[in-house]
Amino acid sequence: MADWEQRILNQVTKRVAMTESLRGFVDKYTANLQALVRFREQASEVPTLRATSVALQARLETLQSNPESNALVKAKLEEAEKQREEVRTEVTGLYREKANLAQRTLDLSQQLDQTRKESAERLQAKEQLEKTNHDLEVQLGVMKEHHSQLQVELVKADETIRQLRSENQRAITELLAAKSREAEQMNMAKDLYDSLMRRMRKETAHEGEVNAIAFNMTGNQIVTASSDRKVKVWDVETGATVVTLTGCDKGASTCCFSDNGEFVMAGSADNATRVWHVGRARVVQCLTGHSNKITAAEYMRERAGAVTGSKDRTIKVWDLNKGFCQRTIFCPSSCHSLITSNASMVFSGHFDGPDLRIWDIRTDMGSGDPIQDIELQPQVITGLTQSADGTMLMAVTRDNSIKLLDTRTFAVTRTLRHERFHVTLEWCRGAFSPDGQYCACGSMDGSVLVWNTLTGAVERILDERAHRGPVACCAWSPIGETLASCDKERMVVTWK
Amino acid sequence: MADFFSSGGLWRDEVLVSVTLDPEERTTISNPEPYFCLVPRVSYFPLVLPEIERYFRALLPAGTTFDATKDLPWLEVQGQPLRWQHPVGCLYDLYTAGKADVSAPLPLVLHLRKFPTATIIPMHSPEAVRAEFMQMVKEATFLRDGNIKAVNSLVKEQTEQIIAAMTNRDYALFERLTEAFRGQEPLRFPIRVHLPGTTHVQLPILAAEMPAECTLGDVMARLLPTLFPSPAPAEGSPAVVAFGAALPLSTPVGWLLRRMAYPDQFLHLAVPQLPPGAPPCPTRPRCPPSSGPPPHRPPRRG
């Protein structure tokens, strides 16, 4: 233990020990003091206590001296109280009687008044009744006269009624005859309408707008491409869905059948072109490489290849055997529509549209120039179609006209217009009949117009309210008897 | 005896107090007997005041009236009001002139009128004493830790338990309850030095600025450079007293704080006798400018 701690400890322990020794004395002292305090407190209370006791004693004595006189006074008081009570009840009874009497007097006088009033009223009433009686007698005379007049008129009226009834009967029979005639006419009209309706079949084909439609070579199936990302193959006769081809990540914009009808090719807004096997409903090829939505996709009939056009302003040529891109043609503007002919010619219609470009994919396209530009009016070409024999081209343009071209001379042979023909969609496309004599194209108002290609006159307007919105695309069956059209409002219609 | 301090031996100590009545209140011919009693060192005078007052009031003649607003009882020592917010032990050490003689009582005079509001704090109810005590605990904790989270996080029941442990002088329970306050090394030393007169000296001494083995001499030299020119004990340097013991200047401060602090967490040191040449109330030493915060002032108390 350190020196300092020892020193502190010594001092402190010494102090504590001494305090302990003091404790006994101080405790005793304190106890004594407290006893003293208690004594003093009690002593100080003694005089007050004594005074209180004296006062109490005095009061007790006075109380004890009183009881006799108290009893006397109490008895007297009780007697007086009893007398007072009796007098009070008597007075109350008298008051009550007085009130009754007054009430009775009042009632009697009221009765008297009423009787007087009633007799006066009766007198007045009697006088009035006498006066009224006299008036009524006068009136009775007048009425009698009037009655005889009316009797005469009644006889006349009966006669008229009889005549009118017979006329009415006649009119009713006539009306019935007219109604039966009308019903016959209605039936006839209905028969007529039904016969008309049989000529077309409407189908709500897709859940989104239908963008493209195409027949196969035999004309018994249609393929449609829709913004609902589905491509569907339909049976023309029954209108039933043959197969639904899925796989597109965005809406399908264009579609076509292969020559043998086994495959369907469709371009989509997801930048890819897919080829499905119809029988197996499977994607067999997916052509990717474009960097924007596909606007056109066509088979190269004699080369097992395909040509696709896209909004990325390129046209790509594909080898379908190997499945890769053979060539890329760079154009100054995006290609809206493509057709292929005789193995190597590609016609493309463009957004900037001053001309229709013709490419030959056999040539070296490093230069990137088309072999021919055909000058059209500066309008957007929305759709190109080729006739079955390949000699005629049809270009639908945004100036609400159709241009017919001869593919041999690359010259515009005819421009077709009509007041009901309006082009609003950028992918509107027309169709040739198999013999090339007619061409058809859908308009904004939902009608389909058929022109004669030789005369340039509108042959027919197919408008039976089949379409509810702008017609996007038309296709003519290769057999010739059916025309199919599709619109923006999910509808596909076939016409015969 | 080694565990005398750690077992709370200091808390058992009591001091003898003699109380006489203010001569102006005296009505009897002979002086009333003085009131002697033993008061625990770790207690506070307001707690024993009711007992004393009861004794002397019984001596007053019947019919003596007091003004309830001004005439509160208070104690006087050596002609000054007793600053009873300090623990009994440190007041005893200060005013019995450091006599180690236990039989020397602390002479107090009880006044029943004219409470000196400007000098001392009215602490007549046990609640006031408790509030004052917790205030001191907070002050000491702030000095030691730099914050008072440990005190503020106490719930009311814990506070009441701590105060009950102090009044019952249950040292073991008190140590257990206040363990949270004394966890780490002190940031500053919660030390108060009481001098004869009306003042006490308290400075925020940063522990980091002091020598590693800081002794009482170092602290005293810092607090009272006029009385303690050097940390080493010198001839004529006044005695520093705590719990009735004159402390050697070589005592480590850490040990003192741990073992000889009062329940309010302060180490109260008394310097009862000043050397003859020294002024009765030495001027407060200035803090060195580098020592950061200004001298800590005790918060206002209501």
Side-chain angles (χ1 to χ4, degrees):
Chain A
M1 193 181 288
D3 165 50
W4 48 266
E5 190 174 354
Q6 191 62 56
R7 274 163 68 190
I8 294 170
L9 187 63
N10 286 345
Q11 292 179 52
V12 169
T13 45
K14 194 173 149 207
R15 274 204 61 90
V16 172
M18 285 166 77
T19 313
E20 287 301 321
S21 66
L22 261 178
R23 185 185 300 279
F25 164 72
V26 174
D27 280 354
K28 225 172 269 174
Y29 180 85
T30 318
N32 281 341
L33 272 187
Q34 280 169 354
L36 192 65
V37 169
R38 268 200 303 282
F39 170 73
R40 277 182 188 152
E41 280 170 357
Q42 282 164 6
S44 69
E45 277 172 20
V46 165
T48 39
L49 281 174
R50 196 167 285 154
T52 324
S53 123
V54 167
L56 283 172
Q57 190 72 32
R59 216 170 135 207
L60 189 66
E61 275 167 19
T62 47
L63 282 173
Q64 274 169 353
S65 64
N66 271 343
E68 286 166 28
S69 59
N70 265 353
L72 258 172
V73 170
K74 204 181 258 180
K76 268 186 202 164
L77 264 175
E78 274 173 13
E79 212 173 318
E81 189 68 28
K82 215 180 278 173
Q83 281 177 359
R84 216 177 118 197
E85 196 61 37
E86 280 170 21
V87 171
R88 195 181 288 158
T89 47
E90 226 170 286
V91 170
T92 326
L94 287 172
Y95 270 126
R96 205 173 289 149
E97 222 166 297
K98 189 187 163 193
N100 284 344
L101 282 171
Q103 183 64 38
R104 210 176 297 158
T105 321
L106 196 68
D107 288 352
L108 283 172
S109 66
Q110 274 180 356
Q111 276 179 14
L112 189 68
D113 278 354
Q114 212 158 2
T115 333
R116 267 183 206 147
K117 216 182 275 172
E118 276 172 15
S119 63
E121 276 171 12
R122 268 181 210 149
L123 273 174
Q124 270 187 355
K126 197 182 160 195
E127 278 172 22
Q128 213 157 9
L129 278 172
E130 275 168 6
K131 206 187 276 175
T132 325
N133 199 9
H134 180 71
D135 287 356
L136 283 174
E137 271 168 16
V138 175
Q139 278 184 10
L140 188 66
V142 179
M143 294 286 265
K144 268 179 187 162
E145 229 169 276
H146 191 60
H147 181 246
S148 57
Q149 282 179 4
L150 283 175
Q151 204 81 33
V152 178
E153 275 176 27
L154 185 66
V155 175
K156 278 186 203 162
D158 272 345
E159 188 63 29
T160 327
I161 286 171
R162 219 169 292 130
Q163 284 176 5
L164 283 172
R165 263 194 198 136
S166 61
E167 267 174 39
N168 192 19
Q169 195 62 40
R170 226 175 19 250
I172 285 171
T173 47
E174 270 176 29
L175 184 67
L176 282 176
K179 279 221 164 146
S180 64
R181 274 202 300 281
E182 197 183 329
E184 265 172 44
Q185 278 173 0
M186 286 275 280
N187 280 338
M188 277 167 66
K190 193 166 178 292
D191 289 348
L192 198 68
Y193 184 69
D194 284 351
S195 65
L196 282 171
M197 284 298 281
R198 248 174 260 129
R199 293 178 58 196
M200 64 186 190
R201 186 157 52 232
K202 293 198 262 180
E203 287 138 22
T204 299
H206 282 277
E207 288 151 29
E209 50 198 65
V210 186
N211 292 326
I213 189 162
F215 275 94
N216 67 351
M217 278 305 207
T218 54
N220 63 349
Q221 283 183 335
I222 305 177
V223 63
T224 55
S226 164
S227 296
D228 66 357
R229 298 187 289 178
K230 285 175 187 150
V231 177
K232 288 187 180 180
V233 178
W234 308 81
D235 189 299
V236 175
E237 280 306 310
T238 62
T241 313
V242 175
V243 67
T244 303
L245 305 170
T246 55
C248 296
D249 293 332
K250 286 180 183 169
S253 51
T254 174
C255 60
C256 63
F257 267 107
S258 68
D259 283 357
N260 57 9
E262 266 183 59
F263 298 100
V264 164
M265 179 160 70
S268 162
D270 63 357
N271 307 349
T273 310
R274 289 176 181 78
V275 180
W276 285 268
H277 189 277
V278 176
R280 288 180 284 150
R282 284 280 181 276
V283 177
V284 292
Q285 246 159 10
C286 184
L287 310 174
T288 54
H290 280 296
S291 59
N292 208 331
K293 87 181 248 195
I294 310 292
T295 52
E298 285 290 328
Y299 278 103
M300 300 284 288
R301 300 288 176 209
E302 292 158 30
R303 290 173 65 98
V307 181
T308 56
S310 164
K311 268 196 120 164
D312 65 359
R313 296 188 287 184
T314 58
I315 297 170
K316 280 180 189 281
V317 183
W318 306 83
D319 184 339
L320 285 182
N321 289 333
K322 295 172 184 166
F324 55 68
C325 179
Q326 277 183 321
R327 280 226 161 109
T328 302
I329 304 168
F330 296 95
C331 321
S333 69
S334 65
C335 167
H336 273 161
S337 187
L338 279 172
I339 50 171
T340 59
S341 81
N342 62 23
S344 60
M345 296 271 263
V346 174
F347 299 82
S348 62
H350 290 263
F351 177 73
D352 62 349
D355 39 46
L356 179 68
R357 301 199 174 100
I358 301 164
W359 316 82
D360 190 336
I361 57 170
R362 288 172 303 190
T363 59
D364 174 25
M365 275 180 282
S367 59
D369 290 328
I371 55 168
Q372 184 84 36
D373 280 1
I374 299 172
E375 285 286 333
L376 299 176
Q377 267 146 13
Q379 277 296 328
V380 180
I381 295 174
T382 63
L384 283 176
T385 322
Q386 196 176 21
S387 66
D389 58 4
T391 57
M392 239 189 302
L393 270 185
M394 169 180 167
V396 184
T397 56
R398 279 298 293 273
D399 63 349
N400 303 336
S401 69
I402 294 175
K403 304 238 166 20
L404 297 177
L405 296 105
D406 194 317
T407 54
R408 294 161 294 197
T409 61
F410 300 139
V412 178
T413 56
R414 204 173 281 282
T415 300
L416 307 175
R417 286 179 195 275
H418 190 264
E419 58 188 353
R420 284 187 64 178
F421 182 64
H422 298 286
V423 179
T424 52
L425 301 172
E426 284 194 344
W427 53 89
C428 182
R429 208 171 159 184
F432 276 109
S433 67
D435 58 0
Q437 205 176 347
Y438 301 101
C439 70
C441 192
S443 170
M444 184 190 75
D445 62 357
S447 59
V448 178
L449 293 93
V450 181
W451 282 273
N452 189 322
T453 54
L454 296 178
T455 63
V458 172
E459 203 77 3
R460 209 166 194 186
I461 298 172
L462 302 172
D463 175 22
E464 290 172 39
R465 307 247 153 74
H467 285 292
R468 286 195 295 263
V471 176
C473 190
C474 290
W476 209 307
S477 163
I479 298 166
E481 58 188 2
T482 317
L483 177 66
S485 57
C486 59
D487 68 6
K488 248 188 113 163
E489 299 294 322
R490 310 190 292 270
M491 194 82 80
V492 171
V493 181
T494 57
W495 313 80
K496 287 194 174 180
Chain B
M1 288 301 278
D3 57 351
F4 174 83
F5 294 106
S6 58
S7 65
L10 288 177
W11 281 38
R12 287 200 293 277
D13 195 16
E14 297 179 339
V15 297
L16 186 61
V17 176
S18 82
V19 190
T20 51
L21 187 62
D22 176 12
E24 288 179 16
E25 296 286 349
R26 195 183 300 155
T27 50
T28 47
I29 297 167
S30 61
N31 289 349
E33 301 84 350
Y35 186 90
F36 281 97
C37 61
L38 284 170
V39 185
R41 273 184 178 272
V42 294
S43 183
Y44 290 87
F45 276 114
L47 293 177
V48 295
L49 185 66
E51 199 59 32
I52 300 168
E53 194 189 345
R54 182 163 167 249
Y55 168 71
F56 284 108
R57 275 197 197 277
L59 296 175
L60 297 179
T64 315
T65 53
F66 293 95
D67 184 341
T69 55
K70 286 188 291 185
D71 295 339
L72 294 166
W74 54 284
L75 295 166
E76 180 212 301
V77 62
Q78 293 177 3
Q80 295 165 2
L82 181 73
R83 297 161 73 81
W84 55 15
Q85 70 267 35
H86 301 307
V88 169
C90 101
L91 293 171
Y92 179 85
D93 291 339
L94 186 62
Y95 291 112
T96 51
K99 279 177 251 166
D101 183 6
V102 73
S103 57
L106 177 64
L108 298 178
V109 179
L110 176 71
H111 290 258
L112 294 171
R113 294 175 193 278
K114 293 173 190 152
F115 186 83
T117 325
T119 324
I120 55 175
I121 304 159
M123 288 165 70
H124 294 95
S125 70
E127 286 73 33
V129 180
R130 285 177 200 172
E132 183 61 30
F133 171 72
M134 286 317 290
Q135 200 60 45
M136 296 291 278
V137 172
K138 278 184 193 174
E139 194 177 332
T141 311
F142 182 82
L143 281 175
R144 193 177 49 226
D145 299 344
N147 63 62
I148 51 167
K149 275 184 206 144
V151 182
N152 278 349
S153 61
L154 293 175
V155 297
K156 200 176 173 225
E157 284 76 24
Q158 284 173 308
T159 314
E160 280 170 4
Q161 277 179 337
I162 288 172
I163 288 166
M166 180 197 63
T167 45
N168 300 334
R169 286 193 282 162
D170 187 345
Y171 182 77
L173 178 63
F174 188 86
E175 286 293 289
R176 206 169 63 242
L177 290 169
T178 56
E179 235 171 2
F181 303 168
R182 286 171 281 100
Q184 62 268 40
E185 285 299 304
L187 186 69
R188 300 187 182 84
F189 298 132
I191 295 177
R192 273 185 184 185
V193 180
H194 298 265
L195 300 169
T198 58
T199 180
H200 62 257
V201 178
Q202 177 186 330
L203 280 178
I205 306 171
L206 273 169
E209 290 176 0
M210 301 305 284
E213 276 296 315
C214 177
T215 63
L216 181 63
D218 292 328
V219 172
M220 295 310 287
R222 184 71 175 279
L223 285 174
L224 299 165
T226 52
L227 296 180
F228 298 89
S230 82
E235 193 65 32
S237 62
V240 180
V241 184
F243 282 97
L247 305 175
L249 290 182
S250 56
T251 315
V253 171
W255 185 87
L256 283 173
L257 283 171
R258 201 158 55 248
R259 295 297 178 207
M260 298 194 85
Y262 279 85
D264 62 12
Q265 308 296 316
F266 266 105
L267 176 63
H268 290 276
L269 301 172
V271 181
Q273 282 174 318
L274 302 180
C281 178
T283 52
R284 249 176 211 223
R286 293 255 160 240
C287 243
S290 63
S291 71
H296 182 80
R297 289 186 186 283
R300 282 182 69 90
R301 279 160 257 166

